[in-house]
Amino acid sequence: MTTRNISADRATAMLSVIKEFQCLSPQDIGIVAAACRWHRYEAGNEIVRYHDHTNSAFFIAQGEIRIMYHSLSGQEVILCDLPTGEIFGELTAIDGHPRSATAIARGSVLLASMPASDFQELIYGNRQIAEIILKRLTGQVRRLTERVYDYSTLAVRNRIQVELLRLARNHMISENVAVISPAPTQTEIANLVSTHREAVSRELNMLIRNKLILRQGHDLHVLDIAKLTEMVNEARGSF
């Protein structure tokens, strides 16, 4: 990790890509920028570790990070990948508890960090930002609720379908087609849905035979999002 010096104007411009800040004025983003420090991480660098006591919130200005932890048995569990424009670390910045997961850079990443005291002051002092953060947190609760439901009720093959559908919706190239590029490995998909690589391989091969997906090099083409959505909805509706 290296600490970067960035001019006030560039810092404001870089923070304007954060989704939660896009409705703010340049003046308000400038206030946020003034409280931030900038850091460059390279692929594989650990940004925060599960259960550590750092308390900053982070804003992803460039690159992508992975949120994950390891189970007691040593299995890697991937919670999510966060691209440019996302925030992470806000839970600890708000409640002061140890980190709930580990964050690792997936490539070269440029981050702005804000100490918990400044982050809380930002929330308490700006109603618009407070509303944005509240909506973000409620959105996380809803997504986690859905994930717990899926893990508790769906078979492994259906959980794999759910994850492929989630990825596809983030990589749409037309109304019914997506290209996930680069595609996650079978092991990464397995770690996302708490299964093993062999189960992922079987399900992907079945979807290929049914012409729902196509693998080309490092890309995964989802050829019929509507059908995949129907399969997921049928699985969820059977409980």
Side-chain angles (χ1 to χ4, degrees):
M1 182 268 288
T2 57
T3 301
R4 305 293 294 264
N5 293 320
I6 294 180
S7 68
D9 287 345
R10 184 160 184 253
T12 298
M14 298 292 286
L15 285 174
S16 68
V17 305
I18 305 302
K19 290 190 301 185
E20 281 76 11
F21 295 162
Q22 289 176 358
C23 63
L24 300 180
S25 68
Q27 292 76 18
D28 282 338
I29 297 178
I31 293 171
V32 175
C36 288
R37 299 182 65 192
W38 292 85
H39 315 276
R40 173 71 70 179
Y41 293 85
E42 301 304 330
N45 287 170
E46 190 175 84
I47 303 162
V48 298
R49 180 188 290 270
Y50 176 63
H51 267 187
D52 77 26
H53 291 274
T54 59
N55 64 12
S56 295
F58 293 88
F59 312 112
I60 308 174
Q62 293 176 354
E64 183 175 82
I65 64 112
R66 170 160 290 172
I67 305 295
M68 55 169 287
Y69 65 87
H70 289 88
S71 68
L72 292 176
S73 64
Q75 179 184 355
E76 180 181 290
V77 179
I78 299 173
L79 298 180
C80 64
D81 292 330
L82 297 177
T84 297
E86 289 286 352
I87 299 173
F88 68 97
E90 72 274 29
L91 297 183
T92 292
I94 291 171
D95 66 16
H97 291 179
R99 298 291 185 185
S100 58
T102 295
I104 294 176
R106 298 205 67 201
S108 185
V109 176
L110 181 64
L111 301 175
S113 68
M114 178 182 286
S117 57
D118 291 315
F119 188 69
Q120 291 182 24
E121 185 175 337
L122 179 69
I123 294 172
Y124 298 144
N126 188 311
R127 181 182 176 89
Q128 188 175 20
I129 292 177
E131 183 176 354
I132 289 168
I133 297 299
L134 283 172
K135 287 182 177 179
R136 173 182 174 79
L137 294 176
T138 55
Q140 289 179 346
V141 171
R142 292 181 188 279
R143 287 190 295 273
L144 288 172
T145 299
E146 184 177 85
R147 192 167 182 177
V148 168
Y149 173 82
D150 288 342
Y151 276 39
S152 301
T153 61
L154 299 184
V156 168
R157 64 184 302 265
N158 300 128
R159 298 205 306 267
I160 295 168
Q161 294 165 7
V162 168
E163 186 59 29
L164 288 177
L165 181 59
R166 184 191 67 79
L167 291 168
R169 286 172 173 167
N170 290 330
H171 295 83
M172 305 278 288
I173 62 169
S174 70
E175 185 176 345
N176 199 39
V177 176
V179 178
I180 304 168
S181 178
T185 66
Q186 292 180 2
T187 298
E188 287 175 322
I189 295 174
N191 290 341
L192 280 162
V193 300
S194 295
T195 187
H196 49 83
R197 189 190 63 79
E198 292 76 13
V200 174
S201 178
R202 285 196 299 270
E203 182 59 22
L204 292 183
N205 287 333
M206 187 279 291
L207 294 172
I208 289 171
R209 289 194 298 271
N210 290 337
K211 302 187 185 306
L212 287 177
I213 65 172
L214 173 68
R215 284 184 288 203
Q216 288 189 335
H218 296 294
D219 298 344
L220 183 66
H221 296 246
V222 181
L223 306 175
D224 193 341
I225 292 175
K227 178 61 177 177
L228 187 58
T229 301
E230 180 182 333
M231 292 167 64
V232 168
N233 288 341
E234 285 180 357
R236 285 173 169 164
S238 64
F239 292 91

